[in-house]
Amino acid sequence: MKLTKTLLLGAAAGLMASSGAFAADLPVKAKAVEYVKICSLYGAGFYYIPGTDTCIKLGGYLRAEVALDTNSVYGTATGSPAGGNNRLSNYYTMRARQDLNIDTRTATEYGVVRTFFDATFSWTTGGYQGTGSGFGGTAYTGTLGLNTAGASPALVGSSINPTDGGTSGGSLGVYYAFIQFAGFTMGKAVSQFDAPWTNYPGNNFDGLVGGSGTVTGVNQFTYTADFGQGITASFSAEDTTAYYQAGNFNISSAAGAGAIAGLTTGALGANAIGGSRSPNLVGMVRVDQAWGLFQASVAAHDNHVAYYGATEPTGHPDDKWGWAVQLALSIKNIPTGAGDVINVSGVYTDGATRYNFQNLAGSSFLMYGSSGIAYQSVAAVVAPDTTFITGGQQESVKTWGFRGAYTHNWDPYWNTAIYGAYAAAQFGGGTKTFLCGAGGAFSSVPGLTSCNPDFNVGQVGLITRWTPVKNLTFSGDLVWTHIDQKYSGVIAGGNNFPVAKPAAAYELKDQDSITLLLRAQRNW
């Protein structure tokens, strides 16, 4: 019995020791996994960032497109080298683009704190323009790989193969980067002056004149008041330096030898924009209702010029404030079909040209064409904010314009829009007298029969979109642009090496451009 008891106690002790060893080998219990939770406070696509009360949404698109008869997927065949309409002009321009946006929102006792970031990564076909070399040298105008940074200027005299610098280049664009809090918007966002559809009343084509359009954002500090019933008002201070400077031209240089350049290249004078002094001041009132919306916008723009000459003692003109006003109207649910819409806007500017000739359209146009009485024809026009002569004060350029579109939905998969735009630029009496009056800068140019720097730009387009599945759209966008310039005659023009034009007789004449933009886009 005593032996049995001893054996049982020994076995128990062994089991206890063994079980203690096994327990020491067991893993420690892991913390609970924090799964990503849907955030339904701000619409579809938002999730809580794990461990926080902040919601985040990722979005964007991938786009592949080609534009025919232009060196830009967003503009007409104007400038250099596209406007030359010769062997240097592109028959097509292709672009692949990935857009990425990040939207975060956090509910606080003061309201929602929002941040928004939108960037694009693009690869776009470049072009080649002349360098003036006697051996037909050209230089690539596109964005190359990073390996070409700081390339030797000697390369400019020859045809550069873009692959020599690395083909992995492309471009990065930061469109929007802003914070919104308690009614304030701080950072890079669409201008408060713009119509809600910016450059696109019904189109894909970026280069419409006839209104403001900061589709790539502008730095600003804005306060927006919400009065309820769909009524809001904003006051904004917006950066003027990048997108709102159409130019302050000292037209004194247009005299003498500069007269020919002014008539055949649009170089009316030296651009003498000074440093930033005041942001653009913008006010906006908007009414959103079930029937559509109405918006009225005003803006003030300070024209601050550098000097009459190269150094400080040459003096300078006084600052001159310009201004702009725009009205926009959208009518929805019209009787022609579900989802059909009409968008229209009109604008008037005085010394604030970019609110009409927006940045992607530009305010200078150079196009060459055929002529039955001269070597070729040409239209070369430009609309700055102001002009002045050495020793004088600034004179504002006045413009007006409109744009609009009607969009019809044939069914859930197809829609078509017809759209148009118009913009007119008118110079002041002092500028016209200096350029075209008796004894004026252009009056001595042989062959000039009519002299007037004013011009108009008209555009008409048609676009059809097909969306076979949700968020995948194919589109074809055809637009005609007409440059109506007011000069006439046949003059002896000089060399224009970037577009390979020789010194020859040129007829001053209106010009036309037709661009077809084909696009495939997948939103996500």
Side-chain angles (χ1 to χ4, degrees), residues 170-334:
S171 62
L172 167 66
V174 177
Y175 280 12
Y176 311 124
F178 60 83
I179 300 170
Q180 289 181 320
F181 174 65
F184 290 95
T185 298
M186 299 158 283
K188 198 166 187 276
V190 172
S191 170
Q192 304 302 312
F193 189 92
D194 290 3
W197 48 85
T198 57
N199 292 341
Y200 314 108
N203 49 291
N204 285 347
F205 177 74
D206 299 88
L208 284 189
V209 297
S212 176
T214 53
V215 298
T216 58
V218 58
N219 277 327
Q220 60 189 270
F221 188 90
T222 299
Y223 178 73
T224 300
D226 189 339
F227 300 101
Q229 305 298 316
I231 302 173
T232 57
S234 297
F235 179 77
S236 183
E238 302 181 355
D239 183 24
T240 186
T241 58
Y243 301 120
Y244 285 107
Q245 300 283 22
N248 307 118
F249 286 3
N250 185 342
I251 58 175
S252 298
S253 62
I260 295 298
L263 290 168
T264 57
T265 68
L268 287 185
N271 197 352
I273 300 171
S276 62
R277 286 298 181 271
S278 171
N280 286 356
L281 304 177
V282 177
M284 179 273 287
V285 176
R286 177 169 160 178
V287 179
D288 284 274
Q289 302 291 337
W291 53 264
L293 67 88
F294 171 78
Q295 179 176 308
S297 309
V298 295
H301 171 71
D302 180 28
N303 290 289
H304 177 76
V305 176
Y307 300 99
Y308 292 125
T311 60
E312 297 169 355
T314 60
H316 59 81
D318 296 335
D319 283 20
K320 184 178 181 64
W321 281 87
W323 57 274
V325 59
Q326 179 175 267
L327 301 177
L329 176 68
S330 179
I331 303 175
K332 303 177 183 178
N333 302 317
I334 56 181

Side-chain angles (χ1 to χ4, degrees), residues 407-441:
T407 301
H408 173 64
N409 292 277
W410 302 101
D411 57 38
Y413 308 102
W414 292 87
N415 72 53
T416 297
I418 183 170
Y419 64 92
Y422 188 85
Q426 299 172 342
F427 287 77
T431 299
K432 290 182 178 179
T433 299
F434 179 83
L435 294 176
C436 299

